[in-house]
Amino acid sequence: MIPAERLRTAYRTARAALLAERVPEGHWVGELSTSALSTATAVMALHLVNPFTHRELIDAGRKWLAEHQNADGGWGDTVKSFSNISTTMLCRAAFKLAGEKEYPETVQRVEEYLSRNAGALPTARAAAIRARYGKDHTFSVPILMTCAVAKLVPWDEVPRLPFELACLPQSWYRFAKLPVVSYALPALIAIGQCIHHHRRSQNPIRNTVRRLARGLSLKVLRRIQPTSGGYLEATPLTSFVVMALSSIRRRRAAAEQQVIDEGVRFLVASVRPDGSWPIDTNLATWVTTLSVNALATAGDLEALDTKEQILAWLLKQQYKERHPYTGADPGGWAWTDLPGGVPDCDDTPGALIALAHLDPKSDPQAVLSGLRWVLRLQNGDGGAPTFCRGWGTLPFDRSGADLTAHSVRSLASWYRVWGAGPPPIEHLRHRLKDLEFPLSGLFWDVARRNPRFVRYLKKQQRSDGSWLPLWFGNQHAPDDINPVYGTARVLAAYRDLELKDAPECRRGIEFLLSVQNADGGWGGAKGCPSSVEETALAVEVLLDLADGDAVQKGVAWLAEAVESDRFRDASPIGFYFAKLWYFEKLYPIIFTVAALGRAVKITSPAPAAESA
């Protein structure tokens, strides 16, 4: 065990760093990593719209790409990411489409990378992209469409997308077996139309249906476009939509032109000073709830002098109307405070837990609406999906162990607040009378005993005791998975439900201890380099579930990271979607505050706020 004063000093340093990152309004916004993929797609979208009007941005983007090419000739999704075939093909297409004469060495190196890793022939490169994503067309088809527009692959290598299905009533989407995940509806419409324009079907009936569906689907595309112009606030998705529609040379309907114009406005507004684009605008709601919950874990919310501001801001971010994009019911939270966000089952539980910490007397209507939202999203297998219930088995539409655990924790947090008082329970019985859940002691019984939750988590545990997450990975691990993140998040649910003696919980603890590195830290899996994020996540949960020197070695590793200022070093552990990596500036700081703060609280007789 490290000296108490050293521990408190390290915690104070990390806490000060986190509090200093707040914006004037009192909450956090964070900073997402710059992305080669985003930069390449934005460059191409602007070029196709008007290469003369946007010449300065296009040139700056190409220059940034050339300066950030990896040593092997490829590009990764972030400046810290390994090269991959998808991002590299998109960067190659950007130079091909927007101009490559000024960058002969860059082009030569990328061609050598592609030939080594995918083959020299266009068909081989297209096959490599399809192989990376399998049956999920969410990202493979946009990449292949982009490469076809740049004349790097033939159009017959690009699978068609049934954009006409977007004309169906929204409630039918989950029965239509769409080849893309729920959040990719804009890509389905715009890219589907682009492919149909360049590669007509041999079936005349299908061609007729798609011709008739073009106008209506474009109206859907325009209707779901947020006021910022950016779908999901994401540069890649917005760029793909703009590219697809701009590549079709025809007299455009008003809705189509508006989609393009608004998308371009978003791209121009979101470029960074160095000529690059981020993967998304921000994760303001997500990093704010993570920060609040980290300080609460440390027992140090008194250090947060903007609690009232954050509480009001957080309540304001709750969706009060049915979401036009996914059709999500009111009551959820998205990852951002910007109009392109979509409510999901990671940010909503995070917000609910934060509300319980900030003010147990928070607006009960808002809390009940949020809990109802979480419960109604539960899939038939007992787990929680990301956006939409029952859409399918593609990534991020299927249930996830980490999402399910987070949902359970949100129920447990409000059980602790309301479990002893009859008025909230009566109110809850009235509000949730249409749900298929027992309402006697709802939070505890559903979260702890209902087999729809518990059996799902048990079933998802792997033979080595680990659980896998949906939205986080590790590029050093086999298949890019991150069992350390997933296991830590699920074990937090077992801890909160007071089920730490459950057999699956004990196996999860044994797994985390078994993959600890010799230096005391954790990576995403056994043998992966230790990172601040994974070490902090493992330490935070193990402090409450395990004893011994191993956990204290992890605490010491984190303390040394703070002392050397390495605790600010963010790692690419996030999956934005379809294996698209990102890192967030605040993740390592937030997770370190939670872990070291918890260690202070457990080892010090005084509350963290006093001892710090």
Side-chain angles (χ1 to χ4, degrees):
M1 185 176 296
I2 68 173
E5 184 56 34
R6 181 188 175 195
L7 176 60
R8 288 194 294 268
T9 300
Y11 171 68
R12 284 197 300 265
T13 301
R15 184 188 64 183
L18 179 60
L19 294 175
E21 290 291 338
R22 288 174 295 178
V23 297
E25 293 76 16
H27 60 274
W28 287 264
V29 171
E31 182 179 302
L32 283 164
S33 53
T34 286
S35 166
L37 184 145
S38 294
T39 303
T41 56
V43 162
M44 287 184 281
L46 295 176
H47 176 85
L48 286 170
V49 170
N50 192 320
F52 304 104
T53 301
H54 304 293
R55 187 76 265 161
E56 185 177 343
L57 294 179
I58 294 168
D59 289 345
R62 288 189 304 153
K63 183 174 183 291
W64 187 91
L65 288 173
E67 291 175 348
H68 291 84
Q69 187 177 25
N70 287 341
D72 60 7
W75 283 268
D77 299 336
T78 77
V79 294
K80 297 182 180 183
S81 297
F82 301 149
S83 298
N84 65 70
I85 184 66
S86 303
T87 301
T88 301
M89 280 291 282
L90 287 171
C91 291
R92 177 68 186 97
F95 284 104
K96 175 74 172 177
L97 192 64
E100 59 186 17
K101 291 182 179 179
E102 302 97 321
Y103 300 97
E105 292 185 9
T106 299
V107 173
Q108 180 182 348
R109 291 169 61 201
V110 67
E111 281 292 333
E112 291 172 354
Y113 173 89
L114 291 171
S115 296
R116 287 195 309 271
N117 291 276
L121 297 177
T123 52
R125 295 176 180 182
I129 291 173
R130 288 194 298 270
R132 188 175 189 222
Y133 300 102
K135 66 178 182 179
D136 184 4
H137 289 176
T138 302
F139 212 44
S140 61
V141 174
I143 295 171
L144 291 171
M145 176 215 69
T146 303
C147 293
V149 169
K151 299 182 179 179
L152 290 178
V153 302
W155 279 103
D156 60 8
E157 292 290 335
V158 187
R160 295 184 178 89
L161 290 180
F163 66 89
E164 65 274 13
L165 295 180
C167 300
L168 295 172
Q170 198 171 48
S171 59
W172 292 15
Y173 287 170
R174 66 192 183 101
F175 303 111
K177 296 184 178 180
L178 300 181
V180 298
V181 294
S182 56
Y183 56 77
L185 189 59
L188 175 76
I189 297 170
I191 295 174
Q193 290 204 16
C194 174
I195 298 168
H196 177 67
H197 175 82
H198 292 282
R199 181 193 172 202
R200 297 294 174 93
S201 172
Q202 294 181 350
N203 186 327
I205 297 177
R206 184 173 295 162
N207 287 333
T208 300
V209 170
R210 289 180 175 170
R211 177 174 56 82
L212 295 173
R214 183 169 67 86
L216 182 57
S217 62
L218 284 172
K219 290 180 180 179
V220 173
L221 183 62
R222 175 60 185 146
R223 176 171 54 80
I224 65 176
Q225 189 172 28
T227 56
S228 65
Y231 294 100
L232 298 183
E233 296 295 325
T235 296
L237 180 56
T238 306
S239 297
F240 285 135
V241 170
V242 172
M243 261 193 284
L245 297 181
S246 298
S247 73
I248 304 174
R249 303 302 176 186
R250 65 188 179 199
R251 184 175 180 179
R252 296 194 177 98
E256 184 175 16
Q257 190 60 53
Q258 288 172 345
V259 168
I260 294 173
D261 292 345
E262 289 298 291
V264 168
R265 180 171 64 86
F266 170 80
L267 295 177
V268 171
S270 56
V271 67
R272 287 182 168 169
D274 62 359
S276 67
W277 275 265
I279 201 65
D280 199 279
T281 309
N282 70 53
L283 307 179
T285 304
W286 176 240
V287 295
T288 296
T289 60
L290 283 177
S291 298
V292 168
N293 295 335
L295 290 167
T297 296
D300 200 8
L301 271 179
E302 293 307 312
L304 188 58
D305 57 1
T306 56
K307 282 197 297 185
E308 292 184 2
Q309 289 175 270
I310 293 174
L311 178 63
W313 179 84
L314 192 57
L315 287 170
K316 186 179 178 182
Q317 306 315 314
Q318 187 179 31
Y319 283 78
K320 305 299 193 299
E321 298 178 353
R322 188 176 180 85
H323 199 278
Y325 195 134
T326 58
D329 289 334
W333 278 264
W335 60 91
T336 180
D337 59 344
L338 298 172
V342 177
D344 66 83
C345 213
D346 214 3
D347 292 286
T348 299
L352 288 167
I353 295 170
L355 290 177
H357 289 313
L358 288 169
D359 183 5
K361 297 180 181 179
S362 296
D363 181 353
Q365 189 68 32
V367 173
L368 289 169
S369 181
L371 293 169
R372 180 176 186 269
W373 193 92
V374 169
L375 289 171
R376 295 197 70 174
L377 203 71
Q378 188 178 35
N379 272 332
D381 62 6
T386 306
F387 297 116
C388 299
R389 182 180 186 273
W391 264 50
T393 59
L394 294 178
F396 307 143
D397 277 339
R398 66 174 183 262
S399 299
D402 52 331
L403 303 176
T404 304
H406 210 183
S407 299
V408 168
R409 292 182 65 202
S410 69
L411 296 177
S413 68
W414 282 98
Y415 167 80
R416 286 190 289 272
V417 174
W418 286 347
I425 296 299
E426 291 299 321
H427 189 188
L428 182 67
R429 184 177 295 112
H430 173 70
R431 291 287 298 162
L432 302 184
K433 61 184 179 181
D434 59 329
L435 293 180
E436 297 177 2
F437 295 99
L439 297 179
S440 174
L442 176 122
F443 298 113
W444 204 246
D445 289 338
V446 170
R448 193 177 187 190
R449 300 186 182 90
N450 191 300
R452 285 163 56 85
F453 281 112
V454 178
R455 286 182 186 170
Y456 175 82
L457 290 176
K458 287 182 178 180
K459 186 177 179 180
Q460 293 303 308
Q461 188 173 34
R462 302 199 302 170
S463 59
D464 62 0
S466 67
W467 285 273
L468 300 183
L470 271 182
W471 286 92
F472 290 84
N474 186 291
Q475 63 181 353
H476 298 280
D479 299 322
D480 294 338
I481 60 176
N482 196 328
V484 167
Y485 181 96
T487 304
R489 287 313 200 194
V490 174
L491 287 178
Y494 278 87
R495 174 198 64 196
D496 291 1
L497 295 175
E498 301 176 9
L499 293 174
K500 63 181 182 179
D501 292 326
E504 59 270 23
C505 181
R506 303 315 303 175
R507 289 197 301 272
I509 295 168
E510 291 171 4
F511 168 79
L512 282 185
L513 294 174
S514 72
V515 297
Q516 185 178 22
N517 290 328
D519 63 5
W522 276 265
K526 189 175 182 62
C528 295
S530 298
S531 78
V532 175
E533 290 92 338
E534 282 115 351
T535 301
L537 289 167
V539 166
E540 182 211 328
V541 72
L542 288 175
L543 280 166
D544 288 309
L545 298 177
D547 299 317
D549 294 340
V551 182
Q552 294 306 316
K553 284 181 64 178
V555 173
W557 190 97
L558 282 175
E560 193 280 327
V562 172
E563 293 159 355
S564 63
D565 212 37
R566 288 188 297 105
F567 80 110
R568 301 176 187 270
D569 186 16
S571 301
I573 68 168
F575 277 155
Y576 188 67
F577 60 86
K579 296 188 177 180
L580 178 54
W581 295 92
Y582 76 87
F583 57 84
E584 161 58 55
K585 174 184 178 180
L586 292 184
Y587 280 171
I589 302 174
I590 294 170
F591 298 158
T592 298
V593 166
L596 291 182
R598 193 68 180 169
V600 170
K601 183 177 182 180
I602 290 174
T603 59
S604 172
E610 297 177 20
S611 61

